[in-house]
Amino acid sequence: MMNHSDYILWLDQVGMSDIASVGGKNASLGEMIGNLARAGVKVPGGFATTTHAYREFLETNNLDDRVNALLAGLDVDDVEALAATGKQIRSLLLAAPLPDGLLKAVTQGYEKLVNDIGEHISFAVRSSATAEDLADASFAGQQETLLNVHGIENLIDAIRRVFASLYNDRAIAYRVHHGFRHDQVFLSAGVQRMVRSDQGASGVVFTLDTESGFREVVFITSAYGLGETVVQGAVNPDEFIVYKRNLETGLPAILSRRLGAKAIEMIYSDGQTGQATEIRSVSPERSQRFSLPDEQIESLARQAVIIEQHYNRPMDIEWALDGTDGQIYIVQARPETVKSLAGQSIEQFRLSERSRVLVQGRAIGQKIGQGKARVILGAAQMSEVQPGDVLVTDMTDPDWEPIMKRAAAIVTNRGGRTCHAAIVARELGIPAVVGCGHATEHINNDQEVTISCAEGDAGFVYEGLLPFQRLASEVESLPGLPVKMMLNIGNPSQAFTFAHLPNNGVGLARLEFIVNNSIGVHPKALLGFDTLPDDLQAVIRKRMAGYSDPVSFYVEKLVEGIATLAAAFHPNPVIVRLSDFKSNEYANLIAGDRFEPHEENPMIGFRGTSRYLADSFRDCFELECRALRKVRDAMGLANIEVMVPFCRTLEEAQQITELLAANGLKRGSNGLRLIMMCEIPSNAVLAEEFLEYFDGFSIGSNDMTQLVLGLDRDSGLVAHLFDERNLAVKRLLKMAIDACHKQGKYVGICGQAPSDYPDFARWLVEQGISSLSLNQDTIVDTWLYLAGKE
């Protein structure tokens, strides 16, 4: 005689040892309920039908042989045959009744939940396969999830639909491609109380950075309403990166925030459409706010870290914020199966030239791909995609997977870094640019395009087939050197990737890169926002959406960029150079032409220390100091060091160190080192005197060469004379190096020359330089060259 436990098991009764009975997803939910609830991880309760119940469903309806016969000899790469066979099998399962024992057990489980929670309860009914959520095969999204299910009849129908979804087209193809026998994979339906995220928010968490595999951060996506829009890629969500070390120490932990468009949300239906859920537009006011406040971002990240620690591996987690009780719940957790399994070799791609940008979006995959664009506007066109095409579409879902593997790259209008297209692209090892907005309108069918995801967070679709380089490096065992090897980094969004390279820290991080790319507005315009004309205010408001006021926007964006660099390379030093825009470059920022003078030669004009000390710019400089102070002191990332550029005189050296100290950046306080760019002949000639104010030099060989040889490095007419290896330049550099040695202070170089000329790098090492800071694409080769192993 059968017991109810043969047909259903309560989630708090199961764990990871019960995958054979309730599948991977439900076993994981039970594991968290049983082991992590006291640690603060909240999982909605419910029950799971057993795989025994599923097998009995097939047997009592004589479905086994009929299904196997239909699948025999099926070519899953024939999209039309796959669709026809899948539809026929699903029709058989949907028409079959559930066994009496299962019906009785489900009814009693339903009645218990109603008694415990109330008649208003609705359910999420999720599929959970026995070959799902494994460490080396995710099967994510292969079967059905049904939301906002009300009443026992609808619940029974939902369970039947989940059973039938084991034979969705994408599930059939996935099993074949991954070597699983169809008749050895069984299904369980998980029945959980619905979290009211229709009134809150939801999304996906990864306990590593999805693009680089960097494991010291938690990556969160979030949008309003039910989470299906984020998972499917129907919405461009907010994105947050949280630093695990600061979660542990209780310090502010959010490294970056990226505001998503969040144009739509999925909510409960009012019942008039006959559907359980519906899509509605999000008002512009709500879409321009972050969908989670900082305290909930950090709370969610803590739950994710607890889950990761329990499973002892990186995790892919779905979450939901209940808008009625204000609590965050975990609704799924599975092993991350792409970046956590990647090898140790480093592969880098670099475009040799660029062309017109057709569209841009979020970069997935850090690679470059190219081919003819295949613009697909609906599933009926899927068979048009040929091997090597670039798939261009609005969004993808798991039904598209059989043809996605043909593509050289993927481009979508909608979606974020955790959407379906992004996940599949990573699994396939191809680049994707998602969330482009209007890619299907701006890219023509059969147009030749190049997709670049090798330039940071932003991915670009370029016109034409552009030449590019692929560089592969094995970095497991490099020989020791008598000099520290550091990196030059402009873009913080590439920091996690470059942190995998062999390095001793960052010798040059350019603050102006953050200003230019993440802010884009002249700081004077933000300080005097209320005085700007209405049309300019509107442009800036769009830029600063999600932040409380213009000045906070400027400071927080600087904080995010600096903190990301600091966390990526912690505990190694990260030397941040204060902004070194020239007046013509500042003028190119939004509203910049209102505040900048016209100079005939801005290269040697109003820049560097002279600008910081000027009354007209000092309030802008103080914002930079505020950001650096927050990262070092409030966030505890004291591996940030400060570098002062273009300091012409000893009087300026004294004044700038005093101004920094007045703004909370006093030399020696909290271990702060102040470094001076040695890039003007006066810096080398008076090296010992300048060093009275600084803890060392970082040589800027570009400007030093320009000023020693008296030529404009931006002029093509005299470019052939520009060579950092000129004897006059070398003599001044040796003077600076010797002065640092005499006083026992740091001396490095962050100019371009060592990256371009390995022989120049060797000469610097022979002079006893402390560190070489190189571009990421040359550090391994230069390292080997200096070790005599080139």
Side-chain angles (χ1 to χ4, degrees):
M1 182 176 178
M2 293 291 180
N3 297 316
H4 283 177
S5 60
D6 292 312
Y7 295 102
I8 70 168
L9 291 169
W10 291 92
L11 291 177
D12 60 8
Q13 297 174 329
V14 302
M16 292 308 293
S17 61
D18 298 298
I19 290 177
S21 298
V22 296
K25 188 179 300 176
N26 288 333
S28 179
L29 291 170
E31 180 80 10
M32 290 187 290
I33 290 172
N35 293 281
L36 302 181
R38 281 176 289 185
V41 175
K42 299 178 178 67
V43 179
F47 63 84
T49 66
T50 63
T51 53
H52 164 81
Y54 174 76
R55 290 195 299 270
E56 186 173 308
F57 166 70
L58 295 180
E59 291 167 3
T60 57
N61 291 288
N62 299 313
L63 292 170
D64 285 309
D65 292 340
R66 295 158 74 185
V67 169
N68 289 336
L70 288 168
L71 290 172
L74 173 66
D75 178 6
V76 295
D77 292 326
D78 183 335
V79 177
E80 293 177 354
L82 174 63
T85 301
K87 182 178 180 181
Q88 191 172 356
I89 294 172
R90 293 192 297 275
S91 297
L92 291 174
L93 270 67
L94 288 170
L98 299 184
D100 290 341
L102 176 57
L103 285 172
K104 186 174 181 181
V106 167
T107 300
Q108 292 193 355
Y110 167 83
E111 290 172 348
K112 182 179 186 308
L113 288 172
V114 169
N115 289 335
D116 290 346
I117 299 171
E119 289 287 347
H120 62 279
I121 187 174
S122 66
F123 301 95
V125 183
R126 306 180 190 279
S127 62
S128 178
T130 53
E132 185 174 50
D133 295 351
L134 305 177
D136 56 357
S138 73
F139 282 71
Q142 298 303 315
Q143 289 82 225
E144 288 288 349
T145 292
L146 296 118
L147 304 175
N148 193 26
V149 177
H150 286 274
I152 185 61
E153 293 302 323
N154 289 329
L155 178 59
I156 290 168
D157 180 62
I159 290 172
R160 187 184 290 109
R161 288 169 65 185
V162 164
F163 285 176
S165 73
L166 190 61
Y167 293 96
N168 285 338
D169 301 352
R170 71 254 189 171
I172 295 170
Y174 194 94
R175 288 194 294 274
V176 170
H177 291 145
H178 288 78
F180 289 87
R181 286 179 50 182
H182 296 295
D183 58 2
Q184 294 301 309
V185 178
F186 306 110
L187 207 63
S188 161
V191 179
Q192 285 179 286
R193 173 182 71 81
M194 233 357 237
V195 176
R196 292 303 304 266
S197 57
D198 62 305
Q199 299 178 7
S202 54
V204 180
V205 179
F206 283 85
T207 61
L208 46 59
D209 176 59
T210 54
E211 300 314 301
S212 65
F214 185 70
R215 295 197 180 190
E216 300 306 311
V217 294
V218 176
F219 175 64
I220 297 172
T221 60
S222 173
Y224 297 121
L226 305 178
E228 293 299 289
T229 57
V230 177
V231 175
Q232 293 169 356
V235 68
N236 295 351
D238 297 332
E239 297 179 356
F240 309 100
I241 295 179
V242 186
Y243 188 32
K244 292 177 183 176
R245 176 175 170 269
N246 280 21
L247 286 175
E248 295 172 3
T249 58
L251 295 172
I254 300 172
L255 295 179
S256 69
R257 304 165 183 83
R258 183 186 179 97
L259 188 72
K262 306 185 298 298
I264 59 172
E265 62 181 333
M266 181 181 284
I267 59 169
Y268 287 2
S269 173
D270 58 12
Q272 297 179 9
T273 63
Q275 301 294 319
T277 61
E278 62 182 79
I279 299 292
R280 73 177 180 190
S281 298
V282 175
S283 70
E285 182 186 1
R286 288 180 69 217
S287 68
Q288 290 176 20
R289 296 197 305 260
F290 287 115
S291 50
L292 279 181
D294 286 1
E295 57 269 23
Q296 288 183 324
I297 295 167
E298 293 191 358
S299 172
L300 173 57
R302 287 190 188 94
Q303 289 197 54
V305 170
I306 291 168
I307 294 168
E308 178 185 55
Q309 290 172 344
H310 178 76
Y311 285 100
N312 197 30
R313 61 171 298 115
M315 298 295 289
D316 169 358
I317 299 162
E318 292 181 29
W319 63 273
L321 169 65
D322 193 308
T324 59
D325 67 13
Q327 300 294 310
I328 291 177
Y329 295 88
I330 304 301
V331 295
Q332 289 189 44
R334 62 178 73 90
E336 193 278 337
T337 58
V338 180
K339 284 296 180 181
S340 59
L341 300 180
Q344 293 301 308
S345 63
I346 291 177
E347 188 178 50
Q348 297 182 71
F349 288 75
R350 183 174 59 191
L351 280 175
S352 302
E353 61 185 64
R354 288 173 174 79
S355 64
R356 182 167 70 98
V357 175
L358 300 174
V359 293
Q360 70 179 75
R362 301 290 277 126
I364 308 297
Q366 300 179 324
K367 294 183 177 181
I368 294 174
Q370 54 189 202
K372 285 187 176 181
R374 189 65 53 209
V375 181
I376 302 296
L377 300 178
Q381 296 177 266
M382 284 196 298
S383 60
E384 297 176 15
V385 179
Q386 301 301 311
D389 284 348
V390 173
L391 172 60
V392 182
T393 189
D394 183 49
M395 55 177 273
T396 67
D397 63 41
D399 284 331
W400 293 58
E401 289 178 26
I403 59 97
M404 291 172 77
K405 66 185 184 69
R406 301 178 185 175
I410 299 169
V411 181
T412 68
N413 293 338
R414 295 189 278 171
R417 280 171 58 183
T418 59
C419 73
H420 176 265
I423 290 171
V424 172
R426 289 188 199 100
E427 289 186 355
L428 296 174
I430 61 175
V433 182
V434 300
C436 296
H438 303 284
T440 52
E441 298 173 21
H442 294 166
I443 301 173
N444 298 321
N445 204 42
D446 284 326
Q447 183 176 14
E448 291 183 332
V449 293
T450 296
I451 283 69
S452 173
C453 296
E455 302 173 56
D457 271 350
F460 300 93
V461 180
Y462 292 100
E463 187 176 44
L465 304 180
L466 302 179
F468 65 91
Q469 295 174 284
R470 175 186 171 275
L471 307 171
S473 304
E474 297 292 336
V475 299
E476 291 182 356
S477 56
L478 289 172
L481 293 175
V483 64
K484 290 185 176 180
M485 302 292 279
M486 305 178 83
L487 288 164
N488 295 332
I489 295 187
N491 189 349
S493 69
Q494 295 179 301
F496 298 148
T497 298
F498 295 162
H500 291 302
L501 292 165
N503 71 86
N504 299 112
V506 175
L508 173 63
R510 302 174 180 90
L511 208 60
E512 62 270 14
F513 190 100
I514 303 171
V515 175
N516 197 44
N517 287 271
S518 297
I519 299 170
V521 184
H522 196 289
K524 274 290 186 185
L526 297 170
L527 284 162
F529 181 77
D530 293 338
T531 66
L532 299 176
D534 291 345
D535 58 342
L536 199 50
Q537 285 191 16
V539 170
I540 295 173
R541 278 198 185 94
K542 189 173 182 181
R543 279 262 176 175
M544 56 176 269
Y547 294 83
S548 59
D549 61 80
V551 171
S552 294
F553 164 64
Y554 188 83
V555 173
E556 288 306 311
K557 279 300 179 187
L558 287 179
V559 167
E560 290 171 20
I562 297 165
T564 297
L565 291 164
F569 292 90
H570 192 272
N572 285 331
V574 174
I575 302 175
V576 175
R577 186 178 69 189
L578 298 164
S579 63
D580 194 24
F581 279 130
K582 293 168 271 298
S583 55
N584 60 324
E585 294 166 337
Y586 261 123
N588 288 332
L589 298 174
I590 294 171
D593 56 354
R594 303 172 71 90
F595 304 102
E596 290 298 320
H598 172 73
E599 297 185 277
E600 290 300 326
N601 194 343
M603 182 74 76
I604 53 174
F606 190 44
R607 63 178 288 201
T609 305
S610 297
R611 178 178 280 268
Y612 314 146
L613 296 173
D615 291 339
S616 62
F617 192 80
R618 187 170 298 197
D619 52 355
C620 302
F621 178 69
E622 288 170 354
L623 299 184
E624 296 183 27
C625 295
R626 189 194 305 181
L628 285 159
R629 190 170 67 247
K630 180 174 179 178
V631 174
R632 283 183 46 82
D633 298 338
M635 300 184 72
L637 291 164
N639 60 319
I640 290 292
E641 301 181 346
V642 175
M643 182 152 66
V644 176
F646 229 73
C647 184
R648 294 176 167 100
T649 68
L650 296 175
E651 290 76 19
E652 281 193 340
Q654 179 181 350
Q655 292 168 21
I656 191 60
T657 53
E658 291 173 353
L659 181 58
L660 285 166
N663 281 280
L665 295 171
K666 184 178 180 181
R667 182 180 166 196
S669 178
N670 194 18
L672 175 62
R673 286 204 312 180
L674 290 184
I675 309 297
M676 190 187 85
M677 284 285 286
C678 180
E679 56 189 336
I680 302 170
S682 63
N683 300 154
V685 172
L686 298 176
E688 293 194 31
E689 289 85 350
F690 274 104
L691 286 169
E692 293 178 19
Y693 301 98
F694 296 96
D695 297 293
F697 286 161
S698 183
I699 294 168
S701 55
N702 292 348
D703 273 330
M704 181 67 83
T705 303
Q706 170 180 246
L707 296 171
V708 169
L709 298 181
L711 53 85
D712 182 353
R713 60 186 169 100
D714 285 344
S715 171
L717 298 175
V718 290
H720 63 285
L721 295 173
F722 191 94
D723 191 336
E724 296 92 331
R725 296 169 295 180
N726 181 277
L727 181 59
V729 177
K730 281 185 171 182
R731 284 195 178 169
L732 282 176
L733 297 191
K734 180 169 175 52
M735 289 171 63
I737 294 170
D738 289 346
C740 288
H741 286 164
K742 184 177 179 181
Q743 296 192 27
K745 294 190 175 183
Y746 167 83
V747 58
I749 185 168
C750 59
Q752 181 69 26
S755 295
D756 290 343
Y757 307 119
D759 59 320
F760 186 64
R762 176 167 286 168
W763 178 83
L764 289 165
V765 173
E766 290 169 352
Q767 306 314 304
I769 202 160
S770 306
S771 73
L772 302 175
S773 194
L774 304 167
N775 299 338
Q776 81 282 352
D777 55 350
T778 64
I779 190 167
V780 172
D781 288 344
T782 305
W783 194 308
L784 294 172
Y785 175 86
L786 294 175
K789 297 181 180 295
E790 70 275 12

